[in-house]
Amino acid sequence: MLNIALFGPPGAGKGTQSEFLIKKYNLFYISTGDLLRNELANKTKLGLDAEHIIASGGLVSDEIIVQIIENTITENPNANGFLFDGFPRTNIQAYILEGLMIKLNTSLNRLISIKLDEEISVQRLLNRGITSGRSDDNETVVRTRLREYTEKTLPVLQFYKDKGVYLEVDGSQEIGKVTSDIDDIIQSELSKSLFNIVLFGSPGSGRSTQGKAIAKAFGLEYVSTGEMLKEELKNDPEVTLKYLEIIERGEFVPDEVVVQLIEKKLAKTKNAKGFLFKGFPRNLVQSYILDGLLKKHGSSVSQCIELDVPVLEVIRRIDERSHSTADVSYYTTTSKIVKRLQIYENKTIPVIEKYNQLHEVIKVNGVGTLEEVFQRLSFEIQNGIKNMR
């Protein structure tokens, strides 16, 4: 999720730059003024509370404003992020936003300040007044607005400077250059974002081989619940005795065990560009667990890919594997193979359907040489990374 606060004095061109950011990065625009007017128009409870305050000549409290913002964020879960225009306006609101971001398991990535000399601001607004006919675009009013902006904004900017998320651009440049400078900041920020892939595919589709190759090629951490569990079984005899029988039957160990392993993997992995999940999530419950785990770490699923291999080819591959020396106990008998495929059909296909609604699961032909399939996967992943940027 990309959360940006855009600041700038009157005349800095925030409106133009906001439109660019919203369109290019699919951000949800948050202007407290617009949100408040919407609440008033719809006569919501918060809107009615604010209306009573305004009618009595008072200022709408931070308590009402923050509730409106929280509702807006939670009601738009599919947004790539949020663009805050002119909020927070005070030091207190900066602390409020910080607490709200923590509550929602996210954070403000950057505060971008469009810096503009006062005299340039005044001239721009006076020129605008000539064409717009706005009565507030006269020099006295303009200078008062600039003074209020400076006095109220300086503490907020210092707050974010201290946090290390403040950056500024020169607003006196031509519009295209200001846009380019802002875009460079966003691109730099996005380069820090984790790119997380969920790789689906039935048993025998080649997920393990391709997953490891893709993870290595793109600098991702390979997360295989099966391999992590095997390692756990080696290190803990009690766990071995408890779950060996389940594994031998070709069934899956309880979610709480798998979740602990993944949580541990996410916590200890450093400097990875993202994660490639193979074998998880296997069911709908696990899909919600994965979303929660990633959100806890300030991330989310970036791309879902399904290796598409015809059933007869899958059976041929599994049969061939069952005669090899590979240590895969659930491929040793026909009944276990069939059961494994049935579990995938009944449990995992609904997960793919869920992710297809949210992320659009990309089907990749899994038939061919290892290199051919790898190239197909790489093509889709490169496009995914490009679109994320």
PDB file of all heavy atoms in Angstrom, residues 8 44 48 114 135 144 218 226 228 305 328 344:
ATOM      1  N   GLY A   8       1.652  21.809   0.044  1.00  0.00           N
ATOM      2  CA  GLY A   8       2.129  22.917  -0.769  1.00  0.00           C
ATOM      3  C   GLY A   8       1.283  24.143  -0.485  1.00  0.00           C
ATOM      4  O   GLY A   8       0.089  24.027  -0.202  1.00  0.00           O
ATOM      5  N   THR A  44     -25.031  11.497   7.328  1.00  0.00           N
ATOM      6  CA  THR A  44     -24.586  10.407   8.178  1.00  0.00           C
ATOM      7  C   THR A  44     -24.529  10.894   9.615  1.00  0.00           C
ATOM      8  O   THR A  44     -24.672  12.100   9.891  1.00  0.00           O
ATOM      9  CB  THR A  44     -23.182   9.931   7.762  1.00  0.00           C
ATOM     10  OG1 THR A  44     -22.250  11.012   7.998  1.00  0.00           O
ATOM     11  CG2 THR A  44     -23.139   9.546   6.292  1.00  0.00           C
ATOM     12  N   LEU A  48     -24.130  14.687  10.664  1.00  0.00           N
ATOM     13  CA  LEU A  48     -25.080  15.434  11.493  1.00  0.00           C
ATOM     14  C   LEU A  48     -24.392  16.042  12.709  1.00  0.00           C
ATOM     15  O   LEU A  48     -24.682  17.184  13.105  1.00  0.00           O
ATOM     16  CB  LEU A  48     -26.218  14.505  11.931  1.00  0.00           C
ATOM     17  CG  LEU A  48     -27.162  14.029  10.814  1.00  0.00           C
ATOM     18  CD1 LEU A  48     -28.137  12.987  11.334  1.00  0.00           C
ATOM     19  CD2 LEU A  48     -27.903  15.215  10.205  1.00  0.00           C
ATOM     20  N   ILE A 114       5.584  20.561  -1.898  1.00  0.00           N
ATOM     21  CA  ILE A 114       5.900  21.373  -3.072  1.00  0.00           C
ATOM     22  C   ILE A 114       6.294  22.758  -2.560  1.00  0.00           C
ATOM     23  O   ILE A 114       5.448  23.534  -2.114  1.00  0.00           O
ATOM     24  CB  ILE A 114       4.695  21.484  -4.029  1.00  0.00           C
ATOM     25  CG1 ILE A 114       4.206  20.084  -4.420  1.00  0.00           C
ATOM     26  CG2 ILE A 114       5.064  22.291  -5.268  1.00  0.00           C
ATOM     27  CD1 ILE A 114       2.941  20.092  -5.270  1.00  0.00           C
ATOM     28  N   SER A 135     -13.157  36.051  -5.724  1.00  0.00           N
ATOM     29  CA  SER A 135     -12.988  37.227  -4.872  1.00  0.00           C
ATOM     30  C   SER A 135     -11.882  37.048  -3.847  1.00  0.00           C
ATOM     31  O   SER A 135     -11.331  38.029  -3.332  1.00  0.00           O
ATOM     32  CB  SER A 135     -14.302  37.544  -4.145  1.00  0.00           C
ATOM     33  OG  SER A 135     -14.704  36.445  -3.335  1.00  0.00           O
ATOM     34  N   THR A 144      -2.619  36.546   3.598  1.00  0.00           N
ATOM     35  CA  THR A 144      -3.133  36.002   4.863  1.00  0.00           C
ATOM     36  C   THR A 144      -3.170  34.474   4.802  1.00  0.00           C
ATOM     37  O   THR A 144      -2.757  33.789   5.749  1.00  0.00           O
ATOM     38  CB  THR A 144      -4.548  36.536   5.145  1.00  0.00           C
ATOM     39  OG1 THR A 144      -4.493  37.963   5.254  1.00  0.00           O
ATOM     40  CG2 THR A 144      -5.098  35.950   6.439  1.00  0.00           C
ATOM     41  N   PHE A 218      14.649 -13.562  -9.364  1.00  0.00           N
ATOM     42  CA  PHE A 218      14.088 -12.250  -9.047  1.00  0.00           C
ATOM     43  C   PHE A 218      14.412 -11.779  -7.621  1.00  0.00           C
ATOM     44  O   PHE A 218      13.874 -10.770  -7.167  1.00  0.00           O
ATOM     45  CB  PHE A 218      12.567 -12.268  -9.255  1.00  0.00           C
ATOM     46  CG  PHE A 218      12.170 -12.314 -10.701  1.00  0.00           C
ATOM     47  CD1 PHE A 218      11.984 -13.526 -11.343  1.00  0.00           C
ATOM     48  CD2 PHE A 218      11.998 -11.144 -11.434  1.00  0.00           C
ATOM     49  CE1 PHE A 218      11.622 -13.591 -12.682  1.00  0.00           C
ATOM     50  CE2 PHE A 218      11.643 -11.190 -12.767  1.00  0.00           C
ATOM     51  CZ  PHE A 218      11.461 -12.412 -13.404  1.00  0.00           C
ATOM     52  N   GLY A 226       5.960 -27.189   2.697  1.00  0.00           N
ATOM     53  CA  GLY A 226       6.409 -28.578   2.764  1.00  0.00           C
ATOM     54  C   GLY A 226       7.855 -28.695   3.198  1.00  0.00           C
ATOM     55  O   GLY A 226       8.195 -29.494   4.076  1.00  0.00           O
ATOM     56  N   MET A 228       9.687 -26.385   4.759  1.00  0.00           N
ATOM     57  CA  MET A 228       9.864 -25.883   6.125  1.00  0.00           C
ATOM     58  C   MET A 228       9.416 -26.916   7.139  1.00  0.00           C
ATOM     59  O   MET A 228      10.038 -27.086   8.192  1.00  0.00           O
ATOM     60  CB  MET A 228       9.077 -24.582   6.315  1.00  0.00           C
ATOM     61  CG  MET A 228       9.675 -23.389   5.588  1.00  0.00           C
ATOM     62  SD  MET A 228       8.908 -21.816   6.070  1.00  0.00           S
ATOM     63  CE  MET A 228       7.239 -22.052   5.473  1.00  0.00           C
ATOM     64  N   ILE A 305      -0.176 -16.601  -9.700  1.00  0.00           N
ATOM     65  CA  ILE A 305       0.051 -17.326 -10.953  1.00  0.00           C
ATOM     66  C   ILE A 305      -0.339 -18.785 -10.752  1.00  0.00           C
ATOM     67  O   ILE A 305      -0.018 -19.386  -9.722  1.00  0.00           O
ATOM     68  CB  ILE A 305       1.533 -17.243 -11.383  1.00  0.00           C
ATOM     69  CG1 ILE A 305       1.931 -15.784 -11.638  1.00  0.00           C
ATOM     70  CG2 ILE A 305       1.779 -18.078 -12.630  1.00  0.00           C
ATOM     71  CD1 ILE A 305       3.400 -15.603 -11.966  1.00  0.00           C
ATOM     72  N   VAL A 328       9.067 -38.324  -1.426  1.00  0.00           N
ATOM     73  CA  VAL A 328       7.725 -37.756  -1.401  1.00  0.00           C
ATOM     74  C   VAL A 328       6.760 -38.891  -1.095  1.00  0.00           C
ATOM     75  O   VAL A 328       6.247 -39.560  -1.980  1.00  0.00           O
ATOM     76  CB  VAL A 328       7.364 -37.095  -2.755  1.00  0.00           C
ATOM     77  CG1 VAL A 328       6.040 -36.344  -2.639  1.00  0.00           C
ATOM     78  CG2 VAL A 328       8.463 -36.143  -3.189  1.00  0.00           C
ATOM     79  N   TYR A 344      -6.645 -30.976  -3.736  1.00  0.00           N
ATOM     80  CA  TYR A 344      -6.340 -29.763  -4.496  1.00  0.00           C
ATOM     81  C   TYR A 344      -7.602 -29.246  -5.179  1.00  0.00           C
ATOM     82  O   TYR A 344      -7.892 -28.042  -5.163  1.00  0.00           O
ATOM     83  CB  TYR A 344      -5.260 -30.056  -5.539  1.00  0.00           C
ATOM     84  CG  TYR A 344      -4.876 -28.843  -6.355  1.00  0.00           C
ATOM     85  CD1 TYR A 344      -3.994 -27.897  -5.853  1.00  0.00           C
ATOM     86  CD2 TYR A 344      -5.421 -28.632  -7.621  1.00  0.00           C
ATOM     87  CE1 TYR A 344      -3.660 -26.763  -6.598  1.00  0.00           C
ATOM     88  CE2 TYR A 344      -5.088 -27.504  -8.366  1.00  0.00           C
ATOM     89  CZ  TYR A 344      -4.208 -26.575  -7.847  1.00  0.00           C
ATOM     90  OH  TYR A 344      -3.885 -25.462  -8.578  1.00  0.00           O
TER      91      TYR A 344
END
